[in-house]
Amino acid sequence: MNFNEQIGNFFFFGFLSFLLFLGYLLFEPFLNVIILSILITIIFYNPYIKLKKKLKSETVASLLMTFIILIFIIIPSIVLIAFFVDQIVAVYPKALEFISKYKNIDQIVREIPVVSHAYNIVMDALKSLNINVDLSDALKNIINQFVSFIIEQGKGLFLNVTLLIIGIVMMIISIFFLFKDGDALYNRIYNIIPLPDKDKNFLVSKSYRAIQGVVLGSVLTAIAQGILSFIGYFALGLEMSYFWAFITFLAAFIPIGGASLVWVPVAIYTLFSKGFITAFLFALYGTFVISTIDNIIKPVVIGDKTNIHPMILVFAILGGLKLFGFIGLFLAPIIVVMIDNMLLLFKEKYITNN
């Protein structure tokens, strides 16, 4: 390769990188809409293919599938998120009032069996390190950070109704054209990837199945656990059962703990507010109904489509929430799956054969 060719290649890739960066800036305000549209399309692509074969019309099938997604997915999701933001704003002052009412939370914790023993061990260890912890202030900080995050996400969605409507319209249009022209777009991207067809097929097939499994399995499990937890909370007479059910829905996305991160504290609260028998019965319901549904849905939907360690997913999801907001719940596992697939391909190409 002579000097002029090197200069030409340098200019080409430099200019291409610059244009790609400008393209990113152009689409960055709508990345959430684009990513959600792609994820929804991937999840419902197989039903779309079956519908297209029956209707024998690509356009009609795309319109019908988009309408179904709008009615049963997008609108209910918007309503639920709006309700949740409204509830969290209502709960916020009550939580702070509760903490202010019981200023000596340390004393309350010390009176709880088992918990008090663990608490004393932790506090003694911290004191030995000259670390002073005020439980009341710590709880207030946790609540403030949680509420601030939720309100920030809610503002981004509902503060400007015009942008919300534009976002929904753009999502509907994107989903329609992804169904209708998805094959052409996929082939165009597929053909410019500088890898052998064998490697591209490996990445595409494993990533596609993993994305479908991880996203669909997580969403279905979270929905099921949210509904089942609401039934349990409502039967307990728990105040704001809808709110706690939604919190359980969100917690269900966390690989370690999941829904139990919410219903277990509710069971403990029930023990002190309604007695042992009620708490015991609810704990049985939580163990064998709310949490067990996870072990039924995920193996069926996800199966062996991915084999990512739960601890890795925990860090990924927490990082995804910080980096991308609510959509990070879905995007983080996908990124981890893609990294895992690339590492598998790297191992096959450059290590196994050597």
Side-chain angles (χ1 to χ4, degrees):
M1 183 180 294
N2 58 41
F3 180 74
N4 288 335
E5 288 177 336
Q6 290 180 338
I7 293 294
N9 288 337
F10 178 79
F11 172 80
F12 174 80
F13 287 108
F15 192 54
L16 177 61
S17 300
F18 174 69
L19 290 177
L20 289 174
F21 175 70
L22 289 181
Y24 167 78
L25 294 180
L26 288 175
F27 290 100
E28 191 271 336
F30 310 103
L31 276 183
N32 285 349
V33 171
I34 295 170
I35 292 170
L36 277 175
S37 301
I38 293 172
L39 290 180
I40 291 172
T41 305
I42 289 174
I43 291 171
F44 290 94
Y45 197 73
N46 285 339
Y48 161 74
I49 293 298
K50 295 178 181 177
L51 185 63
K52 185 173 69 171
K53 289 180 179 178
K54 289 183 178 180
L55 297 177
K56 298 180 179 179
S57 172
E58 195 173 61
T59 302
V60 174
S62 300
L63 281 171
L64 183 57
M65 185 58 70
T66 303
F67 179 76
I68 291 172
I69 291 171
L70 172 65
I71 298 299
F72 293 102
I73 304 296
I74 297 176
I75 292 179
S77 297
I78 296 295
V79 172
L80 279 174
I81 295 172
F83 173 79
F84 175 68
V85 172
D86 178 69
Q87 291 290 297
I88 195 69
V89 171
V91 168
Y92 178 54
K94 292 183 179 180
L96 292 182
E97 182 183 351
F98 175 80
I99 293 175
S100 300
K101 182 179 179 182
Y102 298 100
K103 294 182 180 179
N104 194 359
I105 294 180
D106 296 88
Q107 186 61 37
I108 296 174
V109 172
R110 290 179 188 276
E111 294 174 358
I112 302 175
V114 181
V115 175
S116 61
H117 181 65
Y119 175 76
N120 289 331
I121 293 175
V122 173
M123 294 304 293
D124 290 341
L126 291 175
K127 285 180 181 179
S128 66
L129 298 173
N130 294 322
I131 300 175
N132 295 319
V133 177
D134 189 317
L135 188 58
S136 299
D137 287 341
L139 284 175
K140 286 180 182 179
N141 289 333
I142 292 171
I143 291 174
N144 279 325
Q145 290 180 11
F146 175 72
V147 172
S148 297
F149 173 79
I150 296 299
I151 291 177
E152 182 181 346
Q153 297 299 315
K155 281 181 179 179
L157 187 61
F158 299 105
L159 188 61
N160 192 322
V161 178
T162 303
L163 287 179
L164 174 62
I165 294 173
I166 292 173
I168 294 173
V169 172
M170 290 183 64
M171 185 179 293
I172 294 168
I173 294 173
S174 299
I175 291 172
F176 168 76
F177 281 108
L178 283 170
F179 279 130
K180 184 176 180 296
D181 303 321
D183 283 341
L185 179 62
Y186 164 77
N187 290 329
R188 187 167 186 175
I189 295 174
Y190 181 90
N191 290 330
I192 64 173
I193 296 176
L195 289 173
D197 287 345
K198 177 187 173 183
D199 296 341
K200 289 191 284 188
N201 291 333
F202 170 82
L203 288 174
V204 169
S205 61
K206 286 191 66 69
S207 299
Y208 177 75
R209 291 189 299 112
I211 290 171
Q212 274 202 324
V214 170
V215 175
L216 189 57
S218 299
V219 170
L220 289 178
T221 300
I223 291 173
Q225 291 185 320
I227 293 172
L228 292 172
S229 65
F230 169 72
I231 294 172
Y233 300 153
F234 185 79
L236 280 179
L238 186 68
E239 188 178 357
M240 302 181 74
S241 299
Y242 289 105
F243 168 77
W244 294 112
F246 198 90
I247 294 291
T248 307
F249 165 81
L250 295 178
F253 286 96
I254 301 175
I256 297 178
S260 63
L261 296 174
V262 181
W263 72 255
V264 168
V266 170
I268 295 172
Y269 168 78
T270 305
L271 176 63
F272 293 97
S273 62
K274 295 182 183 270
F276 174 78
I277 295 177
T278 304
F280 178 71
L281 291 175
F282 177 75
L284 289 177
Y285 177 80
T287 302
F288 295 105
V289 178
I290 298 175
S291 290
T292 302
I293 197 69
D294 185 349
N295 299 324
I296 296 173
I297 294 177
K298 283 188 176 178
V300 173
V301 178
I302 298 179
D304 60 351
K305 294 175 182 177
T306 180
N307 189 27
I308 306 298
H309 193 278
M311 202 62 226
I312 295 176
L313 288 177
V314 169
F315 285 114
I317 288 172
L318 293 177
L321 284 171
K322 183 178 180 180
L323 188 61
F324 302 107
F326 181 75
I327 197 175
L329 285 173
F330 311 102
L331 199 56
I334 293 172
I335 293 174
V336 173
V337 167
M338 296 291 289
I339 292 172
D340 184 59
N341 289 337
M342 287 297 292
L343 291 176
L344 287 174
L345 182 61
F346 173 81
K347 179 182 177 182
E348 182 181 330
K349 287 177 66 67
Y350 301 104
I351 297 179
T352 306
N353 294 332
N354 291 337

